[in-house]
Amino acid sequence: MSEPLLPPIGMLAELTHRCPLQCPYCSNPVELLKADRELDTQTWLDLFSQAADLGVLQVHLSGGEPTLRRDFEQLIAGLSARGVYTNLITAGVGIAEGRIEAFAEAGLDHLQLSFQGARPATTDRIGNHRGSHEKKLETAHRARAAGLPLTINAPVHRHNIEEVPEFIDLALSLDAERLEIANVQYAGWALANRDRLMPDLAAVNRQADIVAAARERLAGIMTIDFVTPDYFAIYPKPCMGGWARDAFMVAPDGTVLPCHAAQTIPSLRFERFGDRRLAEIWTDSPAFNAFRGTDWMHEPCRSCERREIDWGGCRCQAMAIAGDATATDPACVKSPIHNRMAMLTDAAQAKAAPEGKESFIFRRIGAATRPDTRAEPAH
Amino acid sequence: MMAALRERAIVSSRSVPSLPRHVRIQYDPVRQAFAVLSPEKVFWPNEISLDILRRCNGQSSVERIIADLAADYEAYPRDVAADVVAFLQEWSDKLLVKL
Ligand code: SF4
Ligand code: SF4
């Protein structure tokens, strides 16, 4: 009944939690790690080498802002020496002169650059960093000049969902091969800011139509990947392609996790690379085995024909909304509490502040534990 | 403003396909199979797809690729042509092959 354990294909390495931006939708955990908790160069290189041995073919280098690591060139070189495909996920702010060229030289395969808005004012406001839009444009030009293939990543929410057509123009003007229009996943900081970010149904539907038309129009010119919004879905996404099925992630301190938000499931304990070898964690860690395959499922998932398509959806969303990590993802229409998703989106709309006046909980160390300030006048 | 920087390429017998910089074919010793690596996805091409992709070397024309494949598979070029062209058009539309 349960399929044999396969080796992982992909790994997301969150090299650091440090970042010049403070996006309120950030997928990092609300408890951010300081620089002194980060793995050193040699440990990352060992980890990458063990990952390649295990069967990892692709590593996404992320953060925080991964280029804040001064050893970033060395980390790329280590991966590329093993033939691993490297993808840099960057905010593109503050990358020193000459470094992008050095990344390319070290063997970087692809660069993914986030834009918080298609308009400078939106980018600067959402990332809480003045001048960031300009710097991102410059990063895109430098990446192309260095011969690097480029994806533009647009995380979408209430405050920029109407900019989708402009995101498409922006990505084309920057000569990107790919545009990723990603509706925010409400975990980490995005969950803390859910009421401040959730779009309404009409905007979601308009966006879906625009993306569908653009995809058709731009076949062979630019690929558009679309991460659909969970709260308006009928079926959930196969989160991470299924829990501990073909990908995993590593936090800055070396904690190996099945997904971004896994640490929000209080019953699980996660292991750190260094205490154990990566292969042992992948195969034996009780946390990885907790929701692997389909044996852990209850009804309605257990007998559902989609159980090996979406793997019951996201465990962390089940935890956050149903209060039970073994429940069916409430994004699924078959979940007994599916209607809670609509209640949550309605509640978010009811609380929406006038555009431009939203008081986000910006992503910074300690911020999420501060009292909610949204009743105060905007400043 | 965004005057089309690129245009959709259409396969012809004179196209000379190649793999763009963000795509590569690689043998995976763990799974003992060839993988096609791209920014988000890893593909596991079947034998015929792999045979086409490997000939996307920036030197052989589509006509030549069809003739080679026909010889390898002991088929008539006209019997493999449609499949090869359809495959290349699909991969070009996804920006995984350059024409
Ligand atoms: S989402 Fe924003 S704050 Fe979070 S890592 Fe990315 S750029 Fe930094
Ligand atoms: S019931 Fe479970 S397996 Fe079926 S579609 Fe919903 S989440 Fe997926």
Side-chain angles (χ1 to χ4, degrees):
Chain A
M1 185 167 130
S2 42
E3 53 172 26
L5 177 61
L6 298 172
I9 293 177
M11 160 173 164
L12 176 72
E14 291 191 337
L15 300 177
T16 178
H17 278 160
R18 291 172 287 143
C19 187
L21 303 195
Q22 302 183 346
C23 310
Y25 63 78
C26 185
S27 61
N28 286 152
V30 288
E31 300 287 342
L32 295 168
L33 300 173
K34 293 191 190 146
D36 60 2
R37 301 282 303 276
E38 292 172 17
L39 296 183
D40 63 17
T41 310
Q42 195 49 51
T43 311
W44 276 117
L45 290 172
D46 290 346
L47 170 55
F48 291 155
S49 168
Q50 289 189 24
D53 290 341
L54 191 56
V56 167
L57 298 172
Q58 210 163 26
V59 171
H60 304 280
L61 297 155
S62 171
E65 175 51 46
T67 64
L68 287 177
R69 292 277 308 206
R70 291 177 182 196
D71 55 1
F72 192 66
E73 290 81 344
Q74 237 177 307
L75 301 181
I76 298 172
L79 285 164
S80 102
R82 295 296 313 266
V84 176
Y85 192 102
T86 47
N87 179 26
L88 161 58
I89 300 176
T90 180
V93 170
I95 306 178
E97 187 103 17
R99 279 195 93 198
I100 293 179
E101 296 72 14
F103 302 160
E105 213 148 284
L108 183 65
D109 288 300
H110 179 265
L111 187 147
Q112 176 171 325
L113 172 62
S114 65
F115 272 87
Q116 284 62 27
R119 303 170 196 159
T122 312
T123 303
D124 294 2
R125 183 162 58 91
I126 301 295
N128 204 22
H129 187 108
R130 193 170 307 163
S132 59
H133 194 85
E134 271 311 307
K135 293 180 184 144
K136 286 165 184 283
L137 295 176
E138 201 187 304
T139 298
H141 296 312
R142 283 163 63 195
R144 296 300 292 133
L148 288 170
L150 179 67
T151 289
I152 299 299
N153 170 258
V156 170
H157 43 74
R158 185 197 299 156
H159 305 279
N160 64 7
I161 193 165
E162 303 300 348
E163 294 178 28
V164 164
E166 292 157 72
F167 275 121
I168 296 168
D169 288 352
L170 175 70
L172 283 170
S173 74
L174 294 174
D175 193 26
E177 274 91 7
R178 245 177 102 245
L179 168 63
E180 192 177 282
I181 295 181
N183 284 274
V184 164
Q185 302 282 129
Y186 292 92
W189 291 81
L191 185 58
N193 279 297
R194 184 172 58 197
D195 286 346
R196 299 166 178 87
L197 294 170
M198 185 67 69
D200 64 34
L201 179 61
V204 164
N205 288 339
R206 274 197 299 279
Q207 168 206 40
D209 290 346
I210 291 166
V211 171
R215 272 178 159 173
E216 206 164 303
R217 176 166 57 89
L218 296 172
I221 297 171
M222 182 172 76
T223 312
I224 303 180
D225 281 355
F226 187 46
V227 179
T228 55
D230 273 353
Y231 281 63
F232 301 90
I234 296 172
Y235 291 122
K237 292 190 192 70
C239 187
M240 292 293 281
W243 182 272
R245 204 166 152 270
D246 54 26
F248 62 94
M249 62 156 283
V250 182
D253 66 350
T255 306
V256 186
L257 300 165
C259 74
H260 275 109
Q263 283 164 310
T264 61
I265 301 176
S267 59
L268 301 181
R269 287 195 44 244
F270 299 97
E271 295 171 87
R272 278 187 53 198
F273 176 74
D275 299 341
R276 287 184 94 185
R277 293 181 61 77
L278 186 61
E280 291 168 7
I281 298 176
W282 176 255
T283 44
D284 299 335
S285 157
F288 275 68
N289 284 320
F291 304 115
R292 222 173 214 146
T294 54
D295 288 351
W296 59 273
M297 289 178 176
H298 308 300
E299 293 300 347
C301 295
R302 180 171 273 277
S303 59
C304 178
E305 71 285 355
R306 289 179 55 88
R307 66 180 180 272
E308 294 192 0
I309 297 173
D310 60 39
W311 306 95
C314 173
R315 296 304 87 227
C316 306
Q317 194 146 271
M319 186 71 231
I321 295 171
D324 174 6
T326 69
T328 294
D329 185 338
C332 179
V333 70
K334 294 191 190 177
S335 156
I337 59 159
H338 180 64
N339 66 346
R340 219 174 273 180
M341 301 305 257
M343 284 161 54
L344 289 167
T345 59
D346 289 350
Q349 294 322 310
K351 290 188 221 162
E355 192 52 47
K357 297 260 187 278
E358 200 65 81
S359 36
F360 298 115
I361 306 172
F362 284 113
R363 171 210 189 270
R364 48 191 171 217
I365 292 172
T369 53
R370 286 219 308 260
D372 192 328
T373 54
R374 67 194 323 251
E376 290 170 15
H379 28 253
Chain B
M1 148 204 162
M2 25 68 62
L5 294 163
R6 285 189 294 259
E7 275 183 42
R8 180 184 183 210
I10 303 293
V11 182
S12 83
S13 59
R14 272 166 309 173
S15 317
V16 180
S18 61
L19 297 185
R21 159 133 192 210
H22 59 279
V23 176
R24 70 169 184 256
I25 304 176
Q26 189 165 302
Y27 184 73
D28 170 20
V30 173
R31 296 165 189 86
Q32 305 191 356
F34 282 92
V36 177
L37 306 182
S38 78
E40 268 315 289
K41 283 195 202 94
V42 175
F43 301 88
W44 301 98
N46 61 23
E47 198 187 330
I48 170 89
S49 307
L50 189 62
D51 279 339
I52 300 173
L53 288 169
R54 279 168 147 168
R55 287 172 168 83
C56 294
N57 53 14
Q59 320 217 315
S60 317
S61 67
V62 169
E63 190 173 21
R64 176 71 196 273
I65 292 174
I66 290 169
D68 280 2
L69 287 169
D72 281 6
Y73 286 85
E74 293 178 0
Y76 291 109
R78 62 165 186 274
D79 292 339
V80 297
D83 286 347
V84 172
V85 168
F87 176 90
L88 289 173
Q89 190 63 55
E90 189 190 326
W91 279 61
S92 166
D93 284 348
K94 292 192 205 149
L95 286 114
L96 297 167
V97 161
K98 236 173 20 194
L99 294 175

